[in-house]
């Protein structure tokens, strides 16, 4: 046993030998040997962590050891410092920080020493581990000498040491936030990195490592990019590197350029002409990995400008951060022809290859982004290309022309596009049926989908689809569902958007006459032998969902019939026996799709009274199937089944109580699913559905549900996005069970109170954090609303009085904070009303003292938002009664 | 430190149907939660408004925004006793008791109000059962004045049946004040209390009638009965209470059996309990039921009254504050086995109401027994007085018409005075 060896072994030498052997065994092809070694490593770590980590670092640093054991030692060490899950990561960080200082110093010394190793794998591994340690220690100011000692390395003569050191600096920039390093040191790092990229640097490995390191260091260069001279220098070096004879350096240099383009968009103006020159040369002449990055530069500039123009509605307002420099618009006359050229460089069979990414794909994608950036201006630049190529004998030309057309359909105005589409539509429909080339058909079907996505729907003035062409369009699309899987999948996609355009069509849908035929064709597509290819089965079911969602009363009967069809399919998947793991995976995927479809149907039929009763005749069978689905463990399937059950509970109402005995354990299981937090989140929502369906009949399940919800809230493993809905769920439960919520008050209220304190002040400029804080506030407030309304008129109302001061204080403080959104505002003022309504005169003086009952209420009363105003009216009446008694 | 894969979504829509399903579910749940809260608040608002209104019956112009209005402690207690959620489901004895208190009860017209022709409406009252009709949660329920159930049925009112397509949110419940007319099995709507969740308590009669006429027809509730709509609803023809209007209401043909005339003050809000802002008047020409009948349906020789026994033995009318008709001594109460709050029936000896300065001073009463168990309320003072007058010196249609005439003259002379 390893443990004994460490504790009672004969000396350091033996122990080290032992570690080497275990690390090598852990890479053995023999799984028994491997597992045993892994077990030993685990035990070692558990028994004596400091010795374990130290021996790993010693192993990594030992030049005489085999490179494989050194490398693995480094990786195990790295994994002991970092993990993907936030919660685990935090634990590991704390564990490292609590280690004895001398142990840590020895480990760090070993790591730095390894940077001079002649084994490049050992150096590279050490670089990564150093960066992880730096990621923990630099923010705590615990390893102040690190950067200095690395920088002194840079001036060492052996190029491999220099290379490893610069690589380490790159990793370090990736791991550490810019604030953790002094500007002085940042300057030195950047100087070292940029000098390493310079043409004066003779060693190619050093230049490559430097270029890659710069990619990570770009975020650190804020100050340097604000200084004209420094920025000019960095840009010059990067642009020169794009012309390096080494393809890897050119590629890395373009990666830097892409990153600079999005990080320092506003500093690009002086360089954009030069960048255009070098990128267009790269797109035309360079090797593909380089050319792809060159196109990516322009795609990311489009992303920036779309963001800016979207944010300010086309006009830059004086006080916002970044103005639009219209780089794309300026480059347009040269950029568009460049991109159109790339479209002709397709690969054979790229449509069958899920992982394909080539020049034509990148070019077309960029063209689409350009169209979104400049709108109408792109149309005259692309039309000649389309007209010239679309009828050519070479499929590449026809495909490129079609792809160009499909790419520019988002961005330009419908006014500009509709006349062109009206002319092109007939041609497209013919191409989809008759073109001999599958690639052309694929792109044609995709283009039709884009036409329907962007130019068809109730908001558009001129309809593309008319009574005259509707039948032909549908016939062609349904026909194409029998074509090659990739073509059929695109045809499904086109039908999806066709149906979506009719979502709010009113009581009569143009699709009604074809409904049955469409459904049958989609079901046939799902049954194809090759439906697993090109995502066809998924696309067919998703289109079926959309067809159901957009259907009207006229076809309700057919949707009801579909319930049986989907149930039969689901039943079949549950009966399948003795499946290979591959087959089981497919079955699981299918179950997810079927549950999703069932959920859409239940939601559709449950939404109107007559169809609801037609649906409910199947509720026993549906429930039975869904419960069996839970037995198969897969997160996506659980989520879909859970959502179906929520929709069913809503439709069923109080009668849902008969399913509770069997369903409850799955509900509990869902609430316990920390890892797959989406399942947990969806289950929390379903608890709300069940509360509203069962009302007070949910009472007997509440002990279990509340226990789980409270556990969820206390867990630091659960994704934070689930916590606001859990609070809302407290409100749902309280509203359903009324004063019976009494016994949960002592648990729920302190949790609400501490969450309220946390969320009262955002103290953050981070939009995402403010958004989260507001959703948390909303959840807390919905809980309070539900609790107050639940206790209304109960003799136990007085139990809530002690909480009133805090709640009013919470309302006041979020009002003062001035960063709540409209939803929170509406919920908050509603809580004020509920508090006044339920506590009445008991809270009168408290209410009168609160800011909320005056300024906040007045602000809400004069709000333009109808919902806020309505809640405010409620609060006003409730308060006037409470304080008048 | 590899830079991200530059691969972008290719020929794929930029959304996921799974996410769409999730989002739609979340939207539905959020909407259902809002509806549940809204319904609780909506019903609370209704009761609140009722309590507030009854507390301030004497000043209908009063504004809720005013923070220092006074509310009678008793009314406030009643408000708190009431459970919103209970009324929402309209079940059980509590809800029945609650509804019994909610109807607006007209006083009987014992003298002609001022400004009858300008401030009042008149209409012919159908004979039948006065009731509240409530549609909610896909069912329509009618309750009599005593809170007892009359019908439970599907109707075309918003949320009045499971088959109509109105959304099932709490917003769509309705409360109508009706008279059920047996002969044609029709609900005649005499007032609108809530429509599609919108409380009409704070609205003037003028607005309520306007809303009633437009909304009721829109809903389809006035159509002929069908399996989804068991009883037809009709509105009444409402006239301005001027010479012509009054004559039309009094003598004009209607599809139902008339039982007197109703007068509504145009500016009054709907308020529960007795109100002098709605009045009922009858004579033999427009009602078969001018004089009260006894339990056998016969008009007794002597006028009968139902009074409530108070804890000190006094006999009180329904009014607030009550009018005292006399006092029973405790021996007599014990002998009868009566308790405080019991209703007792008396006959009034001929010519035995004594007045002083227009106030009732003493009544000569004979105890007859306890009234029918279904009886929930004592008689109001105005009813006793109207019945008394009907037996002795009734207020005739001519008097009403004459008062309109004279008020017209008065207005003219007032104008003339001002000019002078």
């Amino acid at each position: 046993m390893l443990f004994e060896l460490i504790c009672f072994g004969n000396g350091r030498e033996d122990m080290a030998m032992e570690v080497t052997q275990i690390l090598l065994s852990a890479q053995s092809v023999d799984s028994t040997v491997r597992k045993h070694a892994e077990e030993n490593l685990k035990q070692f770590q558990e028994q004596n962590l400091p010795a374990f980590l130290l021996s790993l670092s010693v192993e990594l640093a030992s030049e005489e050891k085999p490179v494989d054991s050194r490398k693995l030692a480094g990786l195990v060490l790295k994994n002991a410092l970092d993990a993907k899950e936030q919660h685990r990561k935090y634990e590991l960080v704390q564990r490292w920080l609590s280690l004895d200082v001398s142990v840590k110093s020895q480990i760090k010394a070993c790591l730095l020493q390894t940077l001079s190793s002649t084994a490049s794998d050992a150096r590279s591994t050490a670089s990564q581990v150093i960066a992880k340690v730096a990621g923990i220690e630099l923010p705590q100011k615990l390893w102040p000498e690190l950067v200095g000692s690395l920088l002194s390395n840079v001036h060492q003569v052996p190029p491999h040491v220099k290379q490893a050191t610069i690589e380490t600096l790159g990793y370090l920039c990736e791991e550490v936030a810019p604030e953790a390093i002094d500007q002085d040191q940042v300057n030195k790092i950047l100087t070292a990195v940029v000098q390493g990229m310079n043409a004066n640097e003779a060693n190619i490995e050093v230049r490559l490592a430097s270029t890659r390191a710069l990619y990570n260091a770009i975020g650190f260069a804020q100050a340097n990019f604000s200084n004209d001279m420094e920025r000019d220098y960095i840009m010059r070096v990067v642009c020169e590197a794009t012309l390096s004879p080494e393809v890897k350096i050119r590629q890395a240099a373009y990666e830097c350029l892409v990153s600079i383009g999005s990080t320092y968009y506003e500093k690009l103006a002086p360089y954009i002409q030069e960048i255009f020159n070098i990128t267009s040369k790269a797109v035309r002449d360079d090797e593909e990995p380089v050319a792809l990055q060159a196109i990516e530069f322009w795609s990311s500039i489009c992303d920036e400008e779309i963001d800016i123009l979207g944010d300010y509605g086309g006009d830059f307002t004086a006080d916002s951060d970044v103005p639009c420099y219209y780089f794309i618009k300026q480059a347009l006359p040269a950029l568009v022809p460049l991109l159109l050229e790339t479209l002709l460089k397709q690969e054979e069979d790229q449509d069958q290859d899920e992982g394909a990414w080539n020049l034509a794909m990148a070019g077309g994608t960029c063209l689409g982004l350009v169209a979104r950036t400049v709108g109408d201006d792109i149309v005259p630049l692309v039309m000649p290309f389309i007209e010239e190529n679309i009828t050519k004998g070479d499929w590449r030309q026809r495909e490129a022309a079609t792809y160009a057309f499909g790419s520019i359909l988002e961005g330009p105005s419908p006014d500009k596009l509709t006349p062109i589409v009206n002319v092109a539509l007939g041609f497209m429909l013919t191409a989809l049926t008759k073109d001999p080339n599958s690639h052309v058909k694929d792109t044609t079907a995709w283009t039709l989908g884009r036409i329907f996505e962007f130019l068809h729907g109730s908001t558009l003035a001129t309809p593309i689809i008319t009574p005259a062409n509707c039948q032909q369009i549908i016939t062609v699309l349904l026909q194409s569902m029998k074509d090659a899987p990739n073509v059929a999948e695109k045809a499904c996609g086109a039908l999806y958007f066709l149906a979506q355009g009719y979502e709010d069509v009113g009581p009569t849908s143009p699709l009604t006459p074809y409904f049955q035929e469409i459904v049958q064709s989609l079901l046939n597509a799902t049954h194809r032998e090759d439906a697993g290819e090109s995502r066809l089965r998924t696309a067919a079911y998703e289109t079926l969902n959309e067809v159901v969602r957009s259907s009207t009363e006229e076809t309700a009967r057919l949707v009801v019939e579909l319930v049986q069809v989907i149930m039969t399919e689901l039943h079949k998947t549950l009966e399948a026996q003795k499946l290979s793991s591959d087959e089981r995976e497919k079955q699981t995927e299918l179950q997810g799709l079927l549950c999703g479809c069932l959920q859409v149907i239940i939601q559709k039929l449950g939404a109107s009274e007559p169809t609801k009763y037609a649906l409910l005749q199947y509720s026993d069978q549906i429930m039975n199937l869904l419960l069996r689905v839970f037995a198969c463990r897969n997160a996506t399937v659980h989520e879909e089944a859970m959502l179906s059950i929520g929709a069913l509970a809503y439709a069923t109402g109080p009668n849902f109580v008969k399913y509770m005995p069997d369903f409850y354990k799955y509900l509990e299981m869902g609430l316990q699913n920390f890892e797959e937090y989406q399942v947990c989140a969806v289950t929390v929502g379903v608890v709300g559905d069940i509360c509203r369906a069962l009302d007070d009949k949910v009472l007997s399940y509440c002990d279990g549900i509340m226990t789980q919800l409270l556990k969820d809230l206390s867990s630091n493993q659960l994704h934070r996005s689930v916590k606001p809905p859990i609070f809302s769920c407290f409100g749902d439960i309280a509203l359903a069970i009324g004063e019976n919520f009494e016994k949960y008050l002592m648990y729920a209220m302190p949790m609400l109170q501490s969450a309220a304190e946390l969320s009262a002040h955002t103290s953050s400029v981070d939009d995402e954090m403010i958004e989260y804080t507001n959703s948390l506030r909303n959840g807390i407030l919905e809980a309070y609303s539900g609790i107050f309304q639940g206790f209304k008129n109960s003799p136990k109302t007085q139990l809530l009085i002690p909480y009133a001061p805090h709640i009013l204080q919470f309302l006041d403080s979020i009002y003062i904070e001035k960063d709540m959104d409209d939803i929170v505002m509406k919920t908050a003022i509603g809580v004020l009303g509920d508090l006044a309504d339920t506590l009445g005169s008991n809270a009168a003086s408290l209410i009168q003292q609160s800011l909320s009952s005056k300024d906040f209420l007045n602000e809400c009363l004069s709000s333009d938002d109808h919902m806020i105003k309505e809640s405010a009216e409620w609060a006003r009446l409730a308060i006037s009664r409470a304080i008048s008694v | 430190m590899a830079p991200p894969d530059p691969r972008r979504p290719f020929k794929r829509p930029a959304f996921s149907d799974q996410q769409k399903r999730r989002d739609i579910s979340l939207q539905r749940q959020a909407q259902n939660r809002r509806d549940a809260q809204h319904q609780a608040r909506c019903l609370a608002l209704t009761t609140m408004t009722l309590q507030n209104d009854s507390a301030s019956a004497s000043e209908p112009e009063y504004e809720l925004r005013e923070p220092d209005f006074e509310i009678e402690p008793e009314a406030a207690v009643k408000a708190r006793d009431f459970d919103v959620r209970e009324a929402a489901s309209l079940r059980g004895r509590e809800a029945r008791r609650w509804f019994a208190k909610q109807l607006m009860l007209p006083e009987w017209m014992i003298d002609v109000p001022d400004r009858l022709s300008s401030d009042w409406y008149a209409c012919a009252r159908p004979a039948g059962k006065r009731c509240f009709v409530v549609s909610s949660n896909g069912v329509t329920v009618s309750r009599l004045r005593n809170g007892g159930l009359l019908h439970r049925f599907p109707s075309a009112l918003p949320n009045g049946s499971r088959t109509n397509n109105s959304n099932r949110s709490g917003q769509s419940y309705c409360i109508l004040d009706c008279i059920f007319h047996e002969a044609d099995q029709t609900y005649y709507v005499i007032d609108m209390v809530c429509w599609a969740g919108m409380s009409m308590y704070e609205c003037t009669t003028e607005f309520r009638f306007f809303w009633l006429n437009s909304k009721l027809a829109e809903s389809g509730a006035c159509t002929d009965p069908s399996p989804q709509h068991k009883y037809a609803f009709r509105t009444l023809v409402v006239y301005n209470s001027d010479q012509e209007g009054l004559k039309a209401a009094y003598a004009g043909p209607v599809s139902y059996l008339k039982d007197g005339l109703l007068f509504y003050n145009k500016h009054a809000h709907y308020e529960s309990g007795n109100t002098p802002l709605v009045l009922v008047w009858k004579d033999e020409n427009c009602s078969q039921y001018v004089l009260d009948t006894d339990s056998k349906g016969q008009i007794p020789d002597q006028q009968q009254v139902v009074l409530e026994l108070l804890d000190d033995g006094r006999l009180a009318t329904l009014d607030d504050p009550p009018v005292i008709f006399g006092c029973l001594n405790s021996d007599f109460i014990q002998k009868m086995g009566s308790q405080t709050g019991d209703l007792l029936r008396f006959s009034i000896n001929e010519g035995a109401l004594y007045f002083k300065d227009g106030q009732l001073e003493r009544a000569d009463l004979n105890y007859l027994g306890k009234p029918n168990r279904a009886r929930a309320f004592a008689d109001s003072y105005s009813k006793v007085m109207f019945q008394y007058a009907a037996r002795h010196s009734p207020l005739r249609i001519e008097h009403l018409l004459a008062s309109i005439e004279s008020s017209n003259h008065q207005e003219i002379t007032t104008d003339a005075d001002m000019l002078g």
Side-chain angles (χ1 to χ4, degrees), chain A residues 255-307:
Chain A
E255 284 162 359
C256 290
L257 211 49
V258 171
S259 173
I260 290 169
S262 25
T263 315
Y264 303 109
Y265 168 84
E266 73 278 16
K267 310 280 189 207
L268 282 185
Y271 317 105
I272 201 78
Q273 183 59 49
E274 171 66 8
I275 294 173
F276 182 79
N277 294 341
I278 58 173
T279 49
S280 47
K281 198 165 176 318
V283 170
R284 290 196 168 107
D285 303 327
D286 212 329
E287 291 181 47
E288 191 171 64
V290 184
L292 287 175
Q293 284 300 334
I295 294 177
E296 179 59 20
F297 173 82
W298 292 103
S299 290
S300 68
I301 296 297
C302 289
D303 289 341
E304 292 304 314
E305 296 196 345
I306 289 168
D307 260 11

Side-chain angles (χ1 to χ4, degrees), chain A residues 656-670:
Chain A
F656 191 82
V657 74
K658 65 176 169 175
Y659 304 124
M660 283 305 283
D662 291 329
F663 172 56
Y664 179 72
K665 66 175 167 188
Y666 299 113
L667 189 73
E668 198 165 65
M669 231 163 77

Side-chain angles (χ1 to χ4, degrees), chain B residues 122-155:
Chain B
C123 61
R125 182 187 185 279
K129 290 169 179 150
R130 176 86 186 279
C131 55
F132 250 154
V133 175
V134 180
S135 69
S136 75
N137 291 321
V139 66
T140 308
V141 170
S142 53
R143 288 185 183 278
L144 297 170
R145 217 190 118 181
N146 62 11
L149 187 73
L150 176 61
H151 297 132
R152 196 180 170 85
F153 60 102
S155 79

Side-chain angles (χ1 to χ4, degrees), chain B residues 51-355:
Chain B
Q51 297 301 342
N52 286 342
D53 273 5
S54 62
S56 59
S58 54
E59 34 170 357
E61 302 292 330
Y62 116 92
E63 268 226 4
L64 269 170
R65 202 183 264 279
E66 211 173 292
D68 54 354
F69 73 90
E70 286 195 2
I71 188 163
E72 280 177 68
E74 198 197 324
V77 170
K78 272 188 223 152
R80 275 205 302 274
D81 287 344
F82 170 69
D83 181 4
V84 163
R85 283 149 47 77
E86 223 168 288
S89 49
L90 302 174
R91 272 177 264 135
R93 193 168 136 264
E94 291 302 311
R96 216 175 71 191
R97 276 211 325 238
W98 182 71
F99 273 102
K101 286 186 223 144
Q102 306 313 315
L103 279 174
M104 176 158 70
L105 304 173
E107 287 196 357
W108 292 65
M109 191 189 284
I110 41 186
D111 11 71
V112 184
D114 294 342
R115 303 174 63 84
L116 184 65
S117 64
S118 57
D119 285 0
W120 294 74
Y121 291 124
C123 61
R125 182 187 185 279
K129 290 169 179 150
R130 176 86 186 279
C131 55
F132 250 154
V133 175
V134 180
S135 69
S136 75
N137 291 321
V139 66
T140 308
V141 170
S142 53
R143 288 185 183 278
L144 297 170
R145 217 190 118 181
N146 62 11
L149 187 73
L150 176 61
H151 297 132
R152 196 180 170 85
F153 60 102
S155 79
L157 295 174
N159 228 340
S161 79
R162 294 196 181 277
T163 44
N164 75 20
N165 249 339
S166 58
N167 68 57
R168 48 172 263 169
S169 78
Q171 304 188 16
S172 353
Y173 78 104
C174 293
I175 305 177
L176 299 177
D177 189 346
C178 296
I179 291 172
F180 182 68
H181 187 252
E182 289 283 351
D184 61 357
Q185 294 283 297
T186 295
Y187 281 95
Y188 287 89
V189 186
I190 61 171
D191 214 328
M192 176 182 261
V193 185
C194 283
W195 184 262
M198 179 174 162
S199 168
M200 312 292 290
Y201 282 98
E202 282 186 293
C203 305
T204 61
T205 309
E206 208 168 357
F207 180 78
R208 291 200 311 277
F209 283 6
F210 158 72
W211 205 248
L212 168 63
N213 278 303
S214 50
K215 292 293 161 186
L216 194 71
E218 235 171 61
S219 72
C222 300
T223 56
D224 288 339
S226 69
Q228 289 80 41
H229 179 58
K230 203 169 164 202
Y231 298 98
F233 286 77
R234 303 235 188 289
T235 53
L236 306 179
V237 182
V238 177
Y239 302 93
N240 280 318
S241 192
D242 51 20
Q243 292 271 359
E244 274 172 47
L246 187 56
K247 282 179 194 162
Y250 180 68
V254 284
S255 60
Y256 48 85
L257 182 63
K258 272 189 212 174
D259 181 19
L261 301 182
L262 280 171
F263 293 87
Y264 286 89
N265 185 295
K266 291 178 185 176
H267 311 297
H269 293 186
Y270 196 98
E271 49 190 72
S272 59
N274 271 9
T275 172
L277 297 174
V278 183
L279 299 168
V280 60
W281 173 89
K282 356 177 132 167
D283 70 5
E284 282 76 10
N285 287 328
C286 67
S287 173
Q288 299 178 354
Y289 314 103
V290 178
L291 292 183
D292 269 2
T293 52
D294 62 16
S295 52
K296 294 173 200 104
Q298 304 292 318
I299 295 173
D301 293 344
Q302 290 183 324
Q303 183 184 352
Q304 297 185 355
V305 292
V306 174
L307 298 168
E308 184 179 344
L309 179 63
L310 301 184
D311 51 6
D312 54 4
R314 288 185 301 162
L315 297 167
T317 60
L318 174 64
D319 306 83
D320 188 18
V323 176
I324 304 303
F325 269 66
C327 193
L328 296 180
N329 67 43
S330 53
D331 291 350
F332 186 70
I333 295 169
Q334 263 188 335
K335 213 166 71 191
M336 289 191 305
S338 291
Q339 292 172 352
T340 299
D342 277 359
L343 299 179
L344 304 173
R345 184 182 284 276
F346 298 89
S347 64
I348 303 174
N349 292 334
E350 198 59 40
L353 290 182
Y354 301 97
F355 298 90

Side-chain angles (χ1 to χ4, degrees), chain A residues 355 549 609 639-640 793, chain B residues 7 17 21-22 82 162:
Chain A
R549 277 192 288 253
E609 295 288 321
E639 194 188 330
E640 299 285 4
N793 298 319
Chain B
R7 220 167 292 225
D17 193 70
R21 290 198 291 277
R22 230 178 246 156
F82 170 69
R162 294 196 181 277

Side-chain angles (χ1 to χ4, degrees), chain A residues 219-416:
Chain A
F220 286 71
Q222 206 77 45
N224 315 80
F225 262 84
S226 301
N227 176 309
D228 291 352
M229 259 176 56
E230 292 181 33
R231 186 181 61 238
D232 283 348
Y233 179 63
I234 296 172
M235 291 303 290
R236 185 170 61 76
V237 171
V238 173
C239 289
E240 279 171 9
T242 66
L243 305 172
S244 160
E246 285 302 312
V247 61
K248 282 188 175 167
I249 294 179
R250 294 201 301 276
Q251 184 185 344
Y254 272 114
E255 284 162 359
C256 290
L257 211 49
V258 171
S259 173
I260 290 169
S262 25
T263 315
Y264 303 109
Y265 168 84
E266 73 278 16
K267 310 280 189 207
L268 282 185
Y271 317 105
I272 201 78
Q273 183 59 49
E274 171 66 8
I275 294 173
F276 182 79
N277 294 341
I278 58 173
T279 49
S280 47
K281 198 165 176 318
V283 170
R284 290 196 168 107
D285 303 327
D286 212 329
E287 291 181 47
E288 191 171 64
V290 184
L292 287 175
Q293 284 300 334
I295 294 177
E296 179 59 20
F297 173 82
W298 292 103
S299 290
S300 68
I301 296 297
C302 289
D303 289 341
E304 292 304 314
E305 296 196 345
I306 289 168
D307 260 11
I308 295 168
L309 297 172
D311 280 357
Y312 311 122
D315 276 319
F316 163 64
T317 45
D319 58 351
S320 54
D321 321 273
V322 184
C324 185
Y325 287 95
Y326 299 100
F327 294 138
I328 299 294
K329 204 175 167 131
Q330 288 161 32
L332 206 57
L335 184 58
V336 170
L338 176 71
L339 295 172
L340 290 173
E341 276 174 47
T342 66
L343 300 187
L344 291 157
K345 299 181 178 167
Q346 310 96 325
E347 290 171 310
E348 301 271 358
D349 300 334
Q350 70 180 34
D351 287 316
Q352 276 92 50
D353 178 5
E354 280 287 314
W357 185 248
N358 58 39
L359 217 53
M361 294 164 116
T365 304
C366 187
L367 189 66
L369 290 167
V370 172
R372 287 177 56 198
T373 313
V374 303
D376 288 359
D377 291 353
I378 200 169
V379 178
L381 295 172
V382 175
M383 284 316 292
F385 178 83
I386 299 173
E387 284 157 4
E388 193 194 319
N389 289 289
I390 197 125
T391 50
K392 285 283 161 58
D394 182 357
W395 72 265
R396 287 177 189 277
Q397 287 175 286
R398 297 198 305 281
E399 198 278 337
T402 315
Y403 191 29
F405 187 43
S407 297
I408 61 163
L409 289 168
E410 185 185 9
S413 64
D415 286 349
K416 187 90 180 173

Side-chain angles (χ1 to χ4, degrees), chain A residues 547-715:
Chain A
V547 168
V548 168
R549 277 192 288 253
S550 63
S551 67
T552 64
E553 280 293 310
E554 302 164 297
T555 44
R557 184 181 56 83
L558 297 170
V559 177
V560 173
E561 283 173 18
L562 197 53
V563 177
Q564 283 168 290
V565 176
I566 301 297
M567 282 199 303
T568 310
E569 297 279 336
L570 191 52
H571 186 255
K572 262 192 255 168
T573 68
L574 292 165
E575 293 299 299
Q577 305 259 323
K578 290 185 190 158
L579 298 173
S580 68
S581 69
D582 197 31
E583 286 167 327
R584 193 172 310 118
E585 196 181 314
K586 279 185 190 153
Q587 286 294 45
T588 305
E589 196 193 332
L590 181 55
Q591 282 171 354
L593 294 170
L594 289 166
C595 288
C597 188
L598 207 47
Q599 176 209 325
V600 170
I601 297 173
I602 294 170
Q603 182 120 344
K604 180 78 189 177
L605 295 176
S608 100
E609 295 288 321
T611 53
K612 188 169 88 179
Y613 289 94
L615 166 72
L616 290 181
Q617 62 182 315
Y618 300 114
S619 63
D620 286 358
Q621 285 167 272
I622 294 174
M623 219 31 220
N624 197 10
L625 281 170
L626 291 174
L627 291 175
R628 287 179 64 191
V629 165
F630 280 119
C632 318
R633 290 169 187 274
N634 174 280
T636 309
V637 179
H638 275 207
E639 194 188 330
E640 299 285 4
M642 197 52 91
L643 285 172
S644 304
I645 286 179
L648 192 64
Y650 167 68
T652 314
N655 289 335
F656 191 82
V657 74
K658 65 176 169 175
Y659 304 124
M660 283 305 283
D662 291 329
F663 172 56
Y664 179 72
K665 66 175 167 188
Y666 299 113
L667 189 73
E668 198 165 65
M669 231 163 77
L671 295 177
Q672 286 164 342
N673 198 340
F674 292 148
E675 291 78 30
E676 287 136 350
Y677 73 91
Q678 287 282 15
V679 177
C680 189
V682 156
T683 312
V684 170
V686 170
V687 171
D689 280 328
I690 287 172
C691 288
R692 286 181 289 272
L694 300 188
D695 219 33
D696 51 355
K697 286 186 197 138
V698 78
L699 184 60
S700 54
Y701 298 97
C702 283
D703 280 357
I705 292 172
M706 279 302 291
T707 308
Q708 289 312 326
L709 292 178
L710 291 166
K711 273 190 197 167
D712 285 350
L713 281 178
S714 329
S715 159

